[in-house]
Amino acid sequence: VFLTSGARSRLRFATVNVRSVRVEVKRVFENNLGQFLQTERLSSLQGRREEFRASFVNRVGVVVAEEELEIGEQANVWLEHELDISRLIGSRQRDLYLVSLSFEREDMIYPLGTQARWYRGDEYYQNPNSHGYMRANGRAFKPILISDIGLTLKMAADRTFLFAADLTSAEPMPGVAVTLRSFQNQDLASGTTGSNGM
């Protein structure tokens, strides 16, 4: 989820047997992150196949970029790509970005059947001629926060500790202003990290 400055705002992805990929980037404004996280999760390290719910995202953000990337006609070979996020988002790097990569059936380098038929069982999700295949494999979603600051929150019986560290060096970060907010987006506590990042 976190893209550090060392990554030069580049998102890597791989494709196989597709001619082109559609990219859509939605921005969730920084002051709406709490509201976004009330209904959505940032997901696991494995990425996510399911889309962020548009009705919730549209309350807290907007589409900022859409484009189609030409991949080529090379079949049966995994191809690695880099997407320059900074080109799509500009200078606003304190917001959350939801990147969607997708392709349609006609984008596949695969002989698609011309006759309609029903697919059942595993074949529904594994046969590229099936609509289930597109549903399971035709889209990927990645939330991105551009930051070098990593936060660790630890709660004890009657105290809460927060540590800030530089994600590129793992060193403690002094002077980081931190605000703890409630579910209703009200400030509960604030402070600045000391020399040990706490």
Side-chain angles (χ1 to χ4, degrees):
V1 173
F2 292 95
L3 194 61
T4 64
S5 60
R8 299 183 329 274
S9 299
R10 297 187 184 277
L11 177 65
R12 295 183 58 83
F13 67 99
T15 61
V16 64
N17 292 339
V18 292
R19 295 180 181 89
S20 61
V21 173
R22 287 161 193 77
V23 179
E24 179 185 74
V25 180
K26 293 180 180 178
R27 173 189 296 149
V28 176
F29 298 104
E30 177 187 11
N31 61 335
N32 290 338
L33 285 177
Q35 186 178 355
F36 172 82
L37 292 172
Q38 288 179 3
T39 58
E40 298 292 310
R41 292 178 355 149
L42 293 182
S43 188
S44 68
L45 295 176
Q46 299 300 318
R48 55 186 291 150
R49 297 273 185 226
E50 70 275 3
E51 185 172 6
F52 290 99
R53 289 174 277 188
S55 60
F56 293 145
V57 174
N58 292 342
R59 291 182 302 137
V60 294
V62 295
V63 174
V64 294
E66 293 178 290
E67 70 178 31
E68 187 166 327
L69 303 175
E70 296 299 322
I71 302 296
E73 295 288 333
Q74 194 169 1
N76 302 322
V77 176
W78 280 100
L79 303 173
E80 301 246 346
H81 313 280
E82 274 190 350
L83 181 61
D84 183 357
I85 298 295
S86 64
R87 182 177 58 79
L88 299 173
I89 66 174
S91 62
R92 291 194 55 126
Q93 296 196 354
R94 293 178 58 126
D95 301 325
L96 169 68
Y97 293 91
L98 308 175
V99 179
S100 165
L101 300 173
S102 64
F103 63 90
E104 300 298 331
R105 292 181 73 199
E106 60 270 11
D107 298 321
M108 292 190 294
I109 302 171
Y110 185 85
L112 296 174
T114 56
Q115 294 182 339
R117 79 170 256 231
W118 293 96
Y119 296 91
R120 291 183 169 76
D122 290 342
E123 192 178 26
Y124 180 73
Y125 293 107
Q126 295 172 357
N127 189 317
N129 286 297
S130 168
H131 291 291
Y133 180 86
M134 291 305 302
R135 191 169 172 195
N137 301 294
R139 291 175 180 22
F141 304 93
K142 183 73 178 167
I144 293 175
L145 286 163
I146 300 173
S147 178
D148 287 341
I149 302 172
L151 299 177
T152 301
L153 181 72
K154 296 193 180 243
M155 298 179 73
D158 61 346
R159 296 183 70 189
T160 301
F161 300 93
L162 185 127
F163 301 89
D166 186 320
L167 290 175
T168 60
S169 68
E171 295 292 323
M173 290 187 74
V176 175
V178 178
T179 302
L180 178 65
R181 293 196 172 99
S182 71
F183 189 76
Q184 293 77 20
N185 204 30
Q186 300 301 302
D187 291 357
L188 298 176
S190 62
T192 303
T193 59
S195 60
N196 62 354
M198 187 170 83

